[in-house]
Amino acid sequence: MNAQDLIVAFTSLFIVGMIWIRTRMQYMRRGAGPLHLAPSGRVYFGAAIVLLVAGWFAAPLIGEALWPNTGATPTLMRVVWCLATYYIFIVVHRVLKSRGTEVFTREA
Protein backbone atom coordinates (compact mmCIF):
# COMPACT_ATOMS: atom_id res chain seq x y z
CA MET A 1 0.00 0.00 0.00
CA ASN A 2 1.52 3.30 -1.05
CA ALA A 3 1.30 6.65 0.77
CA GLN A 4 -1.65 7.85 -1.31
CA ASP A 5 -3.64 4.74 -0.46
CA LEU A 6 -2.88 5.31 3.22
CA ILE A 7 -4.21 8.88 2.91
CA VAL A 8 -7.49 7.57 1.50
CA ALA A 9 -7.73 4.84 4.14
CA PHE A 10 -7.20 7.41 6.90
CA THR A 11 -9.71 9.77 5.27
CA SER A 12 -12.31 6.99 5.10
CA LEU A 13 -11.80 6.13 8.76
CA PHE A 14 -12.00 9.83 9.64
CA ILE A 15 -15.26 10.20 7.68
CA VAL A 16 -16.86 7.23 9.48
CA GLY A 17 -15.82 8.85 12.76
CA MET A 18 -17.29 12.20 11.71
CA ILE A 19 -20.57 10.54 10.68
CA TRP A 20 -20.64 8.76 14.05
CA ILE A 21 -19.98 11.94 16.05
CA ARG A 22 -22.41 14.10 14.09
CA THR A 23 -25.18 11.53 14.31
CA ARG A 24 -24.60 10.83 17.98
CA MET A 25 -24.72 14.53 18.83
CA GLN A 26 -28.26 14.64 17.47
CA TYR A 27 -29.36 12.33 20.33
CA MET A 28 -27.57 14.00 23.23
CA ARG A 29 -29.61 15.07 26.25
CA ARG A 30 -28.17 15.83 29.66
CA GLY A 31 -28.71 13.21 32.32
CA ALA A 32 -30.78 10.91 30.15
CA GLY A 33 -28.47 7.88 30.32
CA PRO A 34 -26.02 6.28 27.93
CA LEU A 35 -26.68 5.97 24.21
CA HIS A 36 -26.61 2.63 22.42
CA LEU A 37 -26.53 1.86 18.73
CA ALA A 38 -29.98 0.77 17.54
CA PRO A 39 -30.44 -2.05 15.00
CA SER A 40 -31.27 0.57 12.38
CA GLY A 41 -28.03 2.29 13.36
CA ARG A 42 -26.07 -0.81 12.46
CA VAL A 43 -27.61 -0.72 9.02
CA TYR A 44 -26.95 3.04 8.79
CA PHE A 45 -23.23 2.72 9.58
CA GLY A 46 -22.92 -0.48 7.55
CA ALA A 47 -24.29 1.40 4.55
CA ALA A 48 -21.78 4.21 5.13
CA ILE A 49 -18.90 1.73 5.18
CA VAL A 50 -20.19 -0.07 2.07
CA LEU A 51 -20.48 3.26 0.25
CA LEU A 52 -16.92 4.19 1.19
CA VAL A 53 -15.58 0.81 0.05
CA ALA A 54 -17.51 1.11 -3.22
CA GLY A 55 -15.95 4.53 -3.65
CA TRP A 56 -12.48 3.05 -3.42
CA PHE A 57 -13.15 1.29 -6.73
CA ALA A 58 -15.76 3.55 -8.35
CA ALA A 59 -14.40 7.05 -7.65
CA PRO A 60 -11.35 6.86 -9.96
CA LEU A 61 -13.50 5.45 -12.78
CA ILE A 62 -16.21 8.08 -12.32
CA GLY A 63 -13.60 10.82 -12.13
CA GLU A 64 -12.00 9.70 -15.37
CA ALA A 65 -15.40 9.44 -17.07
CA LEU A 66 -16.57 12.89 -15.96
CA TRP A 67 -13.28 14.77 -16.27
CA PRO A 68 -11.06 13.03 -18.81
CA ASN A 69 -7.58 14.38 -19.44
CA THR A 70 -7.60 16.64 -16.36
CA GLY A 71 -4.99 14.80 -14.40
CA ALA A 72 -7.31 14.19 -11.46
CA THR A 73 -5.59 11.49 -9.47
CA PRO A 74 -7.42 8.47 -8.08
CA THR A 75 -6.53 9.73 -4.59
CA LEU A 76 -8.24 13.05 -5.20
CA MET A 77 -11.35 11.39 -6.56
CA ARG A 78 -11.49 8.98 -3.60
CA VAL A 79 -11.18 11.82 -1.09
CA VAL A 80 -13.94 13.73 -2.87
CA TRP A 81 -16.06 10.56 -2.68
CA CYS A 82 -15.41 10.40 1.08
CA LEU A 83 -16.55 13.99 1.55
CA ALA A 84 -19.62 13.39 -0.59
CA THR A 85 -20.43 10.34 1.54
CA TYR A 86 -20.32 12.50 4.68
CA TYR A 87 -22.77 15.01 3.22
CA ILE A 88 -25.04 12.28 1.83
CA PHE A 89 -25.32 10.75 5.29
CA ILE A 90 -26.38 14.07 6.76
CA VAL A 91 -29.38 13.90 4.43
CA VAL A 92 -29.94 10.20 5.11
CA HIS A 93 -30.02 10.84 8.85
CA ARG A 94 -32.51 13.68 8.43
CA VAL A 95 -34.76 11.41 6.40
CA LEU A 96 -34.52 8.68 9.04
CA LYS A 97 -35.38 11.15 11.81
CA SER A 98 -38.34 12.51 9.85
CA ARG A 99 -39.68 8.94 9.62
CA GLY A 100 -39.14 8.31 13.33
CA THR A 101 -36.27 5.87 12.87
CA GLU A 102 -33.55 6.24 15.50
CA VAL A 103 -29.89 5.46 14.93
CA PHE A 104 -29.06 5.65 18.65
CA THR A 105 -31.37 4.71 21.53
CA ARG A 106 -31.32 4.88 25.29
CA GLU A 107 -31.91 1.73 27.30
CA ALA A 108 -34.23 2.16 30.24
Side-chain angles (χ1 to χ4, degrees):
M1 185 176 269
N2 63 28
Q4 289 182 343
D5 291 342
L6 287 174
I7 289 169
V8 176
F10 176 76
T11 302
S12 297
L13 183 62
F14 182 76
I15 292 298
V16 170
M18 291 300 295
I19 293 170
W20 180 277
I21 289 170
R22 186 189 182 288
T23 305
R24 191 172 169 94
M25 287 180 60
Q26 302 295 317
Y27 295 91
M28 299 298 289
R29 281 181 255 139
R30 292 182 188 259
L35 289 171
H36 300 282
L37 192 61
S40 59
R42 290 184 192 98
V43 173
Y44 176 79
F45 287 107
I49 291 169
V50 166
L51 189 59
L52 288 168
V53 170
W56 180 272
F57 301 104
L61 299 173
I62 293 170
E64 181 62 31
L66 295 177
W67 301 289
N69 303 321
T70 61
T73 65
T75 300
L76 175 64
M77 299 316 315
R78 288 174 177 145
V79 170
V80 168
W81 184 282
C82 289
L83 291 172
T85 300
Y86 176 74
Y87 289 114
I88 287 168
F89 272 82
I90 290 173
V91 174
V92 169
H93 183 246
R94 287 183 180 171
V95 169
L96 288 174
K97 280 183 78 172
S98 72
R99 294 182 176 184
T101 304
E102 292 187 342
V103 176
F104 289 98
T105 59
R106 297 188 188 280
E107 287 188 16

